[in-house]
Amino acid sequence: MTASAFAALFVGALAVSLALRVWLAYRHVRHVAARRDAVPAAFAERIGLPAHRKAADYTVARTRLGVAETFAETLVLVALTLGGGLAALVAWTDVLPFGGIGRDLILIVAVAVISGIVGLPFSYAQTFGIEVRFGFNRTTRALWATDLVKGILIGAALGLPLAALVLWLMRAAGPLWWIWAWAAWIAFQFLLLALYPTVIAPLFNKFSPLPAGAARDAIEALLVRCGFANRGLYVMDGSRRSSHGNAFFTGFGRAKRIVFFDTLLERLTPDEVEAVLAHELGHFKLKHVLKRMLWMAAFSLAFLALLAWLAASPWFYEGLGVPPAPDRPGVALLLFFLALPVFTFVLAPLASLYSRRHEFEADLFAAKNASARSLVRALVKLYEDNAATLTPDPLYSAFHDSHPPAAVRIARLEAA
Ligand SMILES: [Zn+2]
């Protein structure tokens, strides 16, 4: 491969993925807007026209903001690579009075700061523009800013040591450094899983034990029925930031916790909460969580092997606008993570397909161990509360949605 051939490949893939994203968003907006004035027949008795219209408008607003963000990200990517931005940063960090790893860490921080600054106005517009307009937002500017600072500090505290370790391995561990880096990455994932419920999440939210009552009784009975060991049921004050509801598991092994957003418990009846939890439980019992982790591990090993090969190929650097820098492993690392999404977006439907199969299986598990009818009722409430569209463009949805479209999912549950 020559540098100019790789540059052409990169530009071609970038054009295809940008055009695909914009075209899918355009289709989605048109599809949703055209169905704005009629609730789909299957939902006619469950969702009113005002809620359906609100979901359509919310979807259109979010999709449009997403397109604007895609353009901004593409501009930054081109400016950093072919535009010479990264080459300038490399030249600047080359003359810094630091050791090898220090220079690369500063380079990585500089690129993270640039992409963070570009993403900030979109995150702000999402929260204080769209979420406010549709009545979902409950966060204040002060809380939003505090969250941002906390996120940056945690990201630095966890990400910088990991980056330093990987950079050190790239320099010192020989040609098979990528296997060591992979082991470090897997260990880091487990560290995150262990730290998230006990250290990280409590920095952002309050967790209190689920109070006694009909919901708790139904959940405990379900856990016993399914033979599921856990370290407690918690309620999280999700209502501090947003009225969107959710439920999730954190931790692993015997240290698993089950967390419900207070907003979810407010809206659902005990049997609906039970059905939602049964669905989540299905993901564990059917080993979806484990399978997903194994896939992730396999993909990260393959990507690291690819990175090792590319880092040793001068055309990889030159094709992306940077002079080859074999003594600066941070350059290859950054180029790889900047360029990779351009090539992988076309594969998104495969990941969605895999994840949708799991969603159907978990729904079936919930139908068996709780109640299909309660799950349908809960889903309808959640679609309504989150203003999720019932009429997504099928092609857009195939690329972007990890969950099956509402109509398909509910039809299958009703058949169960
Ligand atoms: Zn699920």
Side-chain angles (χ1 to χ4, degrees):
M1 178 89 73
T2 65
S4 53
F6 185 62
L9 186 67
F10 174 67
V11 170
L14 186 62
V16 167
S17 97
L18 179 64
L20 188 58
R21 280 174 189 273
V22 173
W23 178 64
L24 288 170
Y26 168 76
R27 282 179 58 108
H28 190 48
V29 165
R30 208 182 43 179
H31 195 93
V32 169
R35 286 154 186 78
R36 183 180 181 275
D37 293 321
V39 182
F43 295 90
E45 277 157 27
R46 297 183 179 125
I47 287 182
L49 188 58
H52 177 71
R53 282 186 172 147
K54 177 181 171 182
D57 297 343
Y58 181 61
T59 304
V60 168
R62 286 181 49 149
T63 310
R64 287 198 173 132
L65 185 66
V67 170
E69 189 167 13
T70 300
F71 274 111
E73 283 170 351
T74 305
L75 273 178
V76 173
L77 177 60
V78 171
L80 279 175
T81 53
L82 303 177
L86 197 63
L89 287 173
V90 173
W92 169 63
T93 49
D94 252 342
V95 296
L96 286 175
F98 295 104
I101 290 176
R103 288 180 308 178
D104 278 348
L105 279 180
I106 289 179
L107 179 69
I108 290 171
V109 169
V111 172
V113 167
I114 292 170
S115 58
I117 289 174
V118 172
L120 212 54
F122 295 100
S123 158
Y124 187 87
Q126 170 68 33
T127 306
F128 296 105
I130 297 177
E131 296 292 305
V132 168
R133 176 143 60 93
F134 288 91
F136 293 127
N137 181 55
R138 292 190 189 163
T139 194
T140 59
R141 283 174 176 77
L143 182 60
W144 184 80
T146 315
D147 283 352
L148 184 72
V149 172
K150 279 188 202 166
I152 292 170
L153 292 178
I154 294 167
L158 292 168
L160 288 177
L162 175 71
L165 176 61
V166 170
L167 290 170
W168 177 74
L169 288 169
M170 287 175 88
R171 295 170 75 100
L176 292 181
W177 66 265
W178 51 280
I179 295 181
W180 294 104
W182 180 70
W185 172 245
I186 300 293
F188 180 74
Q189 294 297 315
F190 275 103
L191 182 73
L192 270 190
L193 274 177
L195 288 182
Y196 184 77
T198 49
V199 180
I200 301 173
L203 292 174
F204 292 91
N205 284 95
K206 265 205 209 80
F207 292 81
S208 40
L210 181 67
R216 190 182 176 114
D217 293 344
I219 291 164
E220 281 177 343
L222 172 73
L223 293 174
V224 171
R225 225 164 43 239
C226 299
F228 189 84
N230 78 95
R231 280 284 173 83
L233 303 166
Y234 292 86
V235 183
M236 188 187 105
D237 59 344
S239 58
R240 270 183 85 197
R241 295 188 177 82
S242 155
S243 62
H244 293 304
N246 208 346
F248 60 91
F249 288 80
T250 65
F252 60 95
R254 301 217 144 247
K256 279 191 287 289
R257 292 173 169 205
I258 299 169
V259 178
F260 298 95
F261 279 40
D262 52 357
T263 38
L264 185 89
L265 295 172
E266 272 163 31
R267 275 290 280 152
L268 301 187
T269 61
D271 60 309
E272 290 163 1
V273 172
E274 182 195 7
V276 168
L277 181 64
H279 169 97
E280 298 302 328
L281 219 54
H283 284 311
F284 266 95
K285 282 282 159 185
L286 302 168
K287 307 231 181 316
H288 295 162
V289 181
L290 183 69
K291 282 181 198 161
R292 182 165 293 254
M293 283 163 77
L294 290 175
W295 273 110
M296 293 289 224
F299 271 113
S300 39
L301 184 63
F303 283 138
L304 281 166
L306 180 64
L307 168 58
W309 175 62
L310 292 171
S313 313
W315 52 259
F316 172 64
Y317 300 85
E318 286 165 355
L320 294 173
V322 183
D327 59 329
R328 299 279 310 265
V331 178
L333 201 62
L334 276 171
L335 284 177
F336 185 72
F337 286 108
L338 285 171
L340 188 65
V342 168
F343 293 96
T344 53
F345 181 64
V346 289
L347 302 175
L350 291 178
S352 297
L353 209 65
Y354 183 67
S355 141
R356 284 169 184 212
R357 215 177 61 203
H358 286 172
E359 293 307 325
F360 285 131
E361 288 172 14
D363 277 351
L364 215 61
F365 182 91
K368 265 186 219 142
N369 292 282
S371 147
R373 206 167 288 151
S374 306
L375 186 56
V376 169
R377 273 204 309 275
L379 285 174
V380 169
K381 278 189 193 171
L382 291 177
Y383 282 120
E384 188 171 350
D385 287 2
N386 292 325
T389 181
L390 301 171
T391 57
D393 173 57
L395 212 54
Y396 175 91
S397 177
F399 274 82
H400 288 280
D401 297 338
S402 58
H403 286 59
V408 184
R409 206 172 158 191
I410 285 175
R412 284 229 196 166
L413 271 170
E414 283 180 336

